[in-house]
Amino acid sequence: PRQPAKTLWYDRPRYVFLEFCVEDSRDVKVVIEDQRLVFSCKNADGVEFYNEISLYARVNSKDSQEKRSDRSITCFMRKWKEKVAWPRITKENIKPAWLFVDFDNWRDWEGDEEVERAMVEQYAEV
């Protein structure tokens, strides 16, 4: 049986970040499309995780990527319309039980572009 992974998200001027909280993930698959993201993996115990998100707005799937760590898989997706705030990550105005705002990384945008650029560069380094 598949189950959704706990997911944190936060908004930035140019990117939207999603973090799928799965420790010791394997068989990770992330498909980022212009209006949808599909995530799947297994954990060390063989539990299958699957999340499908219809995105609030369009992203540039060619300038979006993911990075796996021991504790999670982080996706960063380049917004099609930069500097437009996303009030939510989902197209529908519903909040799935597995989806949470990442308040540790959520902050006002003012003067934030340098911080955002540094974060993207940090994630891009494999």
Side-chain angles (χ1 to χ4, degrees):
R2 297 190 306 190
Q3 64 185 53
K6 177 184 172 187
T7 307
L8 302 173
W9 84 281
Y10 58 100
D11 189 31
R12 284 285 187 272
R14 290 191 178 97
Y15 288 85
V16 175
F17 290 79
L18 276 167
E19 182 178 9
F20 296 99
C21 303
V22 181
E23 291 190 22
D24 301 322
S25 60
R26 54 192 169 93
D27 302 334
V28 175
K29 291 185 187 69
V30 177
V31 178
I32 298 171
E33 298 172 352
D34 289 349
Q35 301 236 235
R36 186 174 79 126
L37 178 139
V38 179
F39 165 81
S40 65
C41 76
K42 291 180 184 168
N43 68 7
D45 297 328
V47 176
E48 286 186 48
F49 292 92
Y50 179 86
N51 298 62
E52 185 172 333
I53 300 170
S54 294
L55 298 170
Y56 173 76
R58 193 168 170 205
V59 297
N60 182 346
S61 56
K62 292 177 180 46
D63 191 14
S64 300
Q65 51 191 314
E66 77 277 346
K67 180 173 176 134
R68 184 192 164 279
S69 72
D70 291 343
R71 298 175 54 152
S72 64
I73 299 89
T74 302
C75 302
F76 42 105
M77 299 175 290
R78 182 98 185 220
K79 293 179 178 179
W80 201 255
K81 290 184 181 167
E82 294 186 1
K83 299 184 181 176
V84 175
W86 287 24
R88 60 185 184 272
I89 191 75
T90 56
K91 185 180 186 99
E92 304 81 28
N93 191 8
I94 53 165
K95 185 193 163 298
W98 46 266
L99 185 63
F100 303 89
V101 171
D102 185 346
F103 287 107
D104 290 344
N105 285 302
W106 194 282
R107 62 173 71 93
D108 290 333
W109 285 1
E110 206 167 304
D112 209 29
E113 288 172 21
E114 289 300 314
V115 172
E116 181 187 35
R117 190 173 298 120
M119 288 171 61
V120 168
E121 287 170 6
Q122 172 194 335
Y123 281 121
E125 294 169 10
V126 177

